[in-house]
Amino acid sequence: MMNARARTLIAATLLLGIVSGPAVAHATPGPVALSAKAPAPVFSTAPDAQALTKALEGVGAANEDATAALVRVGGSSGSWQGVSGVADLRTGRPALEQGRFRAGSVTKTFTAAVVLQLAAEGKVDLDKPVQGYLPGTFPDRFPSVSVRELLNHTSGIKPADGPGDAFEAQWDHRFDVTDPHDQIANALAQGPEFDPGSAQHYLNINYTVLGVLIEKLTGTAYEEQVDRRILRPLGLRQTSFPGRTQTRIPGPYNHGYQAVPRPDGSTELRDVSVWNSSDRWAAGDIISTTADLERFTVALFSGRVVPRAQLEEMFTIPAVKDVESGADAVLTAGLSRIVMPDGTEVWGKSGSRYGYSTGIGGTRDLSRSLVYSVNSTDAKSEEMNPVVRNLLMAALTRQSN
């Protein structure tokens, strides 16, 4: 497992130095006057191709931060696509623009979307305790946790035990097969971290519980529900789940590498592409491409995945504090609110697996969207990868006149 501060940084911030806006209590938006003039788009000019190209300069075998990068910028203001680096260090062949990758916690956005669909269908009430839907799962002494509190990470459930934060510990257990029910039992046995609904703490365990909830409510596998409800309707043919035993990325992919120090002081770039992701499951094991994730992001923000009434959950921040930093919460049901240094408000989700840093998001009006996959050599670092940072600045800040 990542340490707590790193988990919070990756989930709640997409850029060092950004400032989140004030927390927004859960509420129904007020009516809009029919005569009101449509607001101007957040982005009215095309993406800055020069800045984006510069952000990808030097990515490749000799770059200490990233071996490959795939980027798609879209929206009503225009589009831009870029690819840089190598697909693998052994051959040095160019990075594959349609290469697949492990998208990490971007999985949570898919999971949240399915839960919100079920809510729209009346199969689950977000305000009701999850204990009522999963009888026998929670200890009797555990306080009530609503489905909404799982979605926005305010449940107070502690993380399940794992092999440890260090890369080598994770590496030694990379082929372990993990059962989500065992993880949940382990986490709940530790008791709550805080009263449910009183604080926010970004943890995978919330979405592991939601994965089990989806299976209980539908009577079918979590992966089947995501496939039937999202992947097939949107034509996301390059997106898949590895399942509990698959360790390889199916189809063509850009290899992921982790920088590992050697005893002599040099650094090894170890290929970490082959890995069992069952410990992340509904919280972080999806495999995709930038084209598929762009299509998903646009459809989601457009209200074509989750009905608009339930979609508001993805743009509603609970009025609580982050349990570690003490700052206002920024996480929603499957997304996060980010305010760029120039004041631009964007919504998105990042994810990391060893060798891969991924992000999706954009402005709510879709005048600008961004999807990236950067083959970071230290994807689990507490520090923002410089390539990712430069891409975010180039894509999501407005050009000065």
Side-chain angles (χ1 to χ4, degrees):
M1 290 187 326
M2 298 172 61
N3 66 54
R5 180 168 178 260
R7 285 193 300 267
T8 301
L9 283 169
I10 290 175
T13 64
L14 290 181
L15 185 65
L16 291 177
I18 63 174
V19 179
S20 62
V24 180
H26 180 76
T28 302
V32 177
L34 295 178
S35 60
K37 183 179 180 181
V42 176
F43 284 90
S44 58
T45 58
D48 189 337
Q50 183 177 357
L52 288 162
T53 300
K54 184 175 178 58
L56 296 183
E57 283 182 359
V59 172
N63 190 299
E64 63 180 13
D65 299 311
T67 57
L70 312 175
V71 186
R72 296 177 74 94
V73 182
S76 59
S77 61
S79 62
W80 186 91
Q81 297 176 25
V83 56
S84 184
V86 296
D88 68 85
L89 296 179
R90 183 179 61 84
T91 65
R93 60 194 175 101
L96 305 170
E97 183 177 3
Q98 290 302 316
R100 300 181 189 183
F101 49 83
R102 302 188 188 278
S105 286
V106 170
T107 309
K108 292 182 178 69
T109 312
F110 286 79
T111 302
V114 172
V115 173
L116 293 174
Q117 285 184 5
L118 292 169
E121 296 163 10
K123 294 182 172 67
V124 65
D125 185 331
L126 301 185
D127 290 314
K128 287 189 174 180
V130 69
Q131 285 95 326
Y133 297 106
L134 299 175
T137 301
F138 283 66
D140 292 340
R141 66 182 183 277
F142 207 95
S144 293
V145 174
S146 72
V147 176
R148 177 176 286 112
E149 288 163 349
L150 291 168
L151 283 166
N152 63 25
H153 298 281
T154 60
S155 71
I157 301 174
K158 291 181 179 179
D161 294 326
D165 294 334
F167 168 74
E168 290 294 355
Q170 295 281 327
W171 174 261
D172 290 343
H173 290 270
R174 68 190 182 282
F175 296 133
D176 288 1
V177 177
T178 304
D179 184 278
H181 297 87
D182 292 342
Q183 286 184 305
I184 294 170
N186 177 279
L188 295 175
Q190 302 177 44
E193 178 183 15
F194 50 80
D195 291 336
S198 66
Q200 187 172 79
H201 192 178
Y202 177 78
L203 292 171
N204 286 334
I205 193 63
N206 293 298
Y207 278 70
T208 302
V209 177
L210 289 172
V212 170
L213 175 65
I214 289 169
E215 295 192 332
K216 181 68 173 181
L217 293 173
T218 64
T220 59
Y222 160 79
E223 295 87 348
E224 181 178 335
Q225 286 298 310
V226 178
D227 182 62
R228 182 175 73 81
R229 292 170 173 272
I230 300 176
L231 305 189
R232 277 186 279 170
L234 295 182
L236 307 184
R237 297 181 178 86
Q238 309 307 315
T239 302
S240 62
F241 292 88
R244 292 187 63 196
T245 59
Q246 182 177 309
T247 60
R248 295 185 178 276
I249 299 173
Y253 65 92
N254 298 313
H255 288 239
Y257 298 90
Q258 170 70 19
V260 181
R262 296 190 179 102
D264 64 3
S266 61
T267 299
E268 168 196 1
L269 286 181
R270 189 178 300 176
D271 194 325
V272 292
S273 308
V274 179
W275 205 287
N276 183 292
S277 297
S278 61
D279 63 329
R280 297 300 189 261
W281 191 47
D285 73 349
I286 204 167
I287 293 169
S288 193
T289 64
T290 52
D292 270 14
L293 291 182
E294 181 180 56
R295 181 177 296 183
F296 169 68
T297 302
V298 172
L300 180 69
F301 281 38
S302 299
R304 292 189 285 115
V305 177
V306 176
R308 290 194 178 275
Q310 286 71 34
L311 184 60
E312 284 302 314
E313 295 288 339
M314 288 191 162
F315 298 97
T316 301
I317 303 168
V320 297
K321 302 290 186 180
D322 177 81
V323 74
E324 294 182 306
S325 69
D328 288 339
V330 296
L331 304 173
T332 71
L335 294 177
S336 176
R337 178 179 183 260
I338 304 99
V339 179
M340 301 298 291
D342 67 349
T344 302
E345 179 186 74
V346 295
W347 300 83
K349 185 73 190 79
S350 60
S352 64
R353 297 291 293 157
Y354 284 115
Y356 301 93
S357 295
T358 303
I360 65 172
T363 57
R364 190 168 182 183
D365 68 356
L366 284 176
S367 59
R368 177 64 49 82
S369 65
L370 169 66
V371 172
Y372 65 83
S373 171
V374 173
N375 291 69
S376 170
T377 59
D378 196 5
K380 295 291 189 178
S381 171
E382 295 184 11
E383 300 300 325
M384 174 61 65
N385 181 281
V387 177
V388 172
R389 180 180 63 242
N390 293 338
L391 283 172
L392 293 168
M393 288 296 295
L396 299 177
T397 55
R398 286 168 287 190
Q399 301 174 43
S400 57
N401 296 326

